[in-house]
Amino acid sequence: MSALGFVLGIVLSIRARPELVSDLSYGPLVALALVAIPITVLLNAEEFRLSARLLGQEVPRIAAAEVTIVASVANMLPIPGGTMVRVAALKAGGARVRDGTIATLLIAAFWIGVALLYAGAWLAASAASPVADLGIGCSIVGGVVLASAMLIGHRMFGKDEVLLGLVLVKCGLVLVDATRIYLSMLALNANGTFIQASVLSVSSVAGATVSIVPAGLGIREATAALLAPLVALPAASAFLATGLNRLVGLAIMAPVATALGLRKRT
């Protein structure tokens, strides 16, 4: 059902803006596939290594990259697949399921806080009131979520340097996500700006929080389309850009995850 909604959204967006797909620019697509997505993998791997360190484990970078690649594809399942893969990997390293789950949820809170702060700040700086006021409100909520998560992390784990490292990695991931959406806009010749892409980047959080839908399929794109008018961007452009970002990411990650799975079976 979610796949049908995603495809329907793509079809309606193309009907509204057919020029976006009639003449793709391949340079930004190459940069998205060969630069931005690998950077996302590296940052996700570093995030997993830090989460393991939070629980007293040391995970090699290659092993961490394998976990994050498999987790990203597992998110396509109609369950919180990515979370389950990460928790299972932490458990295999000796952590209790409870501790691994708490660490994973704490990192998710960091992501929500950073994303709301980042997108809200751009919205507040680039729009007129009352939209700017909405951006300020998002930033305040993001700051509260981030500060609360840091306090909880300090009380539970007491490893402030690791917690700060996780926040910095999340900052990098949000920035790269905005860059990926911007590259997708460039590929579609949608005349979007990095500021607009930065505001739309918060849609990834909305998609990730709806775990009953595989990888937030269609939710992220629909959220981006709803946010688009706030930054004077056509909804169809936002939907197609975030959809293209997803499809390119899946095209790169799925074969790698499959190869990793087959290698472990042999």
Side-chain angles (χ1 to χ4, degrees):
M1 195 67 179
S2 60
L4 180 61
F6 176 72
V7 172
L8 180 61
I10 293 289
V11 171
L12 292 176
S13 297
I14 291 175
R15 283 187 177 180
R17 300 290 302 277
E19 71 278 6
L20 294 178
V21 294
S22 60
D23 188 22
L24 287 175
S25 296
Y26 292 100
L29 274 182
V30 172
L32 174 62
L34 301 183
V35 180
I37 290 174
I39 290 175
T40 300
V41 173
L42 291 175
L43 286 173
N44 276 323
E46 186 61 24
E47 175 193 296
F48 181 75
R49 291 182 72 241
L50 288 170
S51 67
R53 193 172 297 169
L54 203 61
L55 302 176
Q57 302 177 19
E58 287 294 334
V59 177
R61 283 188 170 84
I62 293 179
E66 291 179 354
V67 170
T68 56
I69 290 171
V70 173
S72 67
V73 177
N75 270 334
M76 292 305 298
L77 299 171
I79 55 175
T83 298
M84 293 174 67
V85 168
R86 289 181 173 87
V87 172
L90 292 171
K91 182 178 182 295
R96 294 184 301 174
V97 173
R98 173 182 173 274
D99 293 338
T101 302
I102 291 173
T104 302
L105 292 176
L106 186 68
I107 293 168
F110 286 158
W111 183 26
I112 294 171
V114 169
L116 288 175
L117 261 172
Y118 179 76
W122 277 115
L123 190 60
S126 61
S129 186
V131 175
D133 295 336
L134 177 62
I136 293 172
C138 285
S139 292
I140 292 173
V141 172
V144 170
V145 171
L146 185 58
S148 300
M150 282 291 289
L151 180 60
I152 292 171
H154 171 74
R155 290 182 175 178
M156 292 197 67
F157 301 105
K159 299 181 180 180
D160 292 344
E161 289 185 3
V162 177
L163 294 171
L164 180 59
L166 284 166
V167 172
L168 291 176
V169 168
K170 278 303 183 189
C171 290
L173 282 167
V174 169
L175 184 61
V176 172
D177 193 38
T179 303
R180 288 175 57 171
I181 295 173
Y182 179 56
L183 288 172
S184 298
M185 288 179 175
L186 292 179
L188 293 167
N189 294 301
N191 295 321
T193 67
F194 185 75
I195 292 176
Q196 291 169 322
S198 294
V199 174
L200 297 184
S201 65
V202 78
S203 64
S204 298
V205 175
T209 54
V210 186
S211 56
I212 193 173
V213 179
L217 189 60
I219 302 298
R220 179 187 308 176
E221 292 77 13
T223 303
L226 290 174
L227 291 173
L230 297 178
V231 289
L233 186 71
S237 298
F239 195 101
L240 287 175
T242 48
L244 180 62
N245 179 32
R246 177 194 295 277
L247 292 174
V248 174
L250 187 60
I252 297 295
M253 304 292 277
V256 178
T258 301
L260 289 172
L262 292 174
R263 191 191 70 180
K264 290 183 177 180
R265 287 186 179 181
T266 58

